[in-house]
Amino acid sequence: MNKRLVATITAAAALGGLGLAGAQPALAQQDDGSGHGRPASYALTGDPEGSRFEGIGADQRRGTFYVSEVTGGEIHRGDVRDGQTEEWLPAGADGRTTARGITVDGDGNVYVAGGPNGLTGDRPDLWVYSPEGELLAALRVPADEAFLNDVAIGPDGAAYFTDSNDPRVYRVAQGADGWEAQVWADATGTIERREGFNLGGIVLSSDRSAFVVAQGNTGDLWRFGFDGSVRAIDTGDADLGNADGLVRQGNRLTVVRNFDHALATLRLSADGSRARFLGEEDTDPTKVFTTAKELRGRILFVESEFGDGPATPPYQVTTDPFAG
C-alpha cells in the first residue's frame, strides 16, 4: 500500500476517534454503499474531435450537478441518480467560447467562470443562469487581463470568483440596478503574481468568516477574510503544487493536485487560518482530475482529459479517482 495512503488513513482514523466531522479517509468517501442505486460514474457527451472538461458545480437541493467544457464552453448537467448527463448549454452560447469553474447558489442559479474568455474582444468574463437555463447576467469584471478560474458562494449569498492572473477575488450579486461584478479583494503586495496559474480553487471556511483559496503555481493556500485581511495559511510540510479544486467537508479539506495525480488531505481550522497535513493519495496516473464537489455525501471528480495526446472518450465524472 502507498505509504502516503497509510499516513492519510492513520491520521484520519485518529481524528475520527476524537469525533471530528469529515475525518474519514478519502477512499471511504468514494464508496457509495447507500443502497440508493446511484452510479459510480457519470458519462459526459463530448465532441467527436475531442473535449476537455474542468469545473463542476453541485445543487444539493435538486441533486443535480453541472460540468464545464473548456473546448467550446458547453455546460453539461447531470442527476445524481442517472449515469448519463446531458448538454445543458451549447458551445458559443452567450458569447462563451470556454468555461472553467461553476457553482450553484441556494436558489439554484448557476454561476460560470469564463477563464480567458474575456481576454479577446468584448466577450464576458462570467455568466449567471437560472435553474431553467435562462441567462440572468453576462458580465465583465472591472480589471484588465482577468482569468476567472473558480467560484464559490459566500455567506451573503453572493458569488466570489478567483483570478488566475492577478491576486484578486471578484464579488458578483444582484443589486438595485441589476447584476454587478466588483473587486472584493485585491491582494497585490501580499500575494506575488507568478508565471502560470495563480489563484484557483476556493471554498468557504466552516465558520463562514473567510474563503480558503489555492494558488496552484506555488502550492500555497491563502485565507481571504471577510474583515478584509489576506494571509498565508501554514500547511506545514504539505506539498500542494498544482493545487486545483478544493473540497471542504466539515474540517477536512481535500486538495485536487491535477498534474501531480494526487489528492492531499488536510485538517482545516474552523476559521480557515490553520491547516494540518494528514496525508496524500495517488490518483489514477493515466487521468488528470481538475476539481471536485461533494454532492449528497459523495465527492464527484471531473476527469478533465488534460493528459498527453488528444482528448478521447469515455468522458466522465467519477466517484473513484483511484481506479486504473
Side-chain angles (χ1 to χ4, degrees), residues 146-286:
F147 186 117
L148 298 197
N149 188 312
D150 207 355
V151 52
I153 302 301
D156 57 354
Y160 293 80
F161 291 77
T162 58
D163 189 336
S164 285
N165 277 345
D166 286 304
R168 297 190 184 104
V169 176
Y170 307 96
R171 181 183 184 273
V172 173
Q174 190 170 18
D177 298 322
W179 289 88
E180 299 176 333
Q182 302 172 327
V183 176
W184 174 70
D186 188 339
T188 302
T190 300
I191 302 176
E192 181 182 355
R193 173 176 171 166
R194 301 285 187 88
E195 183 179 355
F197 292 97
N198 288 274
L199 301 187
I202 178 172
V203 292
L204 188 64
S205 65
S206 63
D207 72 354
R208 302 168 67 83
S209 68
F211 283 116
V212 174
V213 179
Q215 186 176 2
N217 50 5
T218 65
D220 293 323
L221 295 181
W222 297 92
R223 182 185 187 274
F224 282 74
F226 281 88
D227 60 359
S229 64
V230 179
R231 62 178 181 268
I233 300 172
D234 183 3
T235 57
D237 297 330
D239 179 0
L240 302 180
N242 282 322
D244 199 340
L246 302 178
V247 182
R248 183 186 61 77
Q249 296 170 290
N251 64 0
R252 180 175 176 275
L253 181 70
T254 299
V255 181
V256 182
R257 299 181 60 206
N258 50 35
F259 290 103
D260 281 29
H261 305 283
L263 299 181
T265 307
L266 300 96
R267 179 189 175 191
L268 191 66
S269 64
D271 65 356
S273 63
R274 303 179 307 280
R276 181 160 66 88
F277 180 61
L278 300 179
E280 187 172 274
E281 301 167 65
D282 295 327
T283 58
D284 185 340
T286 68

Side-chain angles (χ1 to χ4, degrees), residues 272-315:
S273 63
R274 303 179 307 280
R276 181 160 66 88
F277 180 61
L278 300 179
E280 187 172 274
E281 301 167 65
D282 295 327
T283 58
D284 185 340
T286 68
K287 303 180 185 300
V288 176
F289 298 97
T290 47
T291 191
K293 288 286 172 62
E294 186 273 330
L295 178 60
R296 303 270 175 104
R298 300 188 302 167
I299 301 179
L300 306 184
F301 296 86
V302 178
E303 295 185 11
S304 70
E305 295 296 324
F306 282 165
D308 295 333
T312 58
Y315 306 113

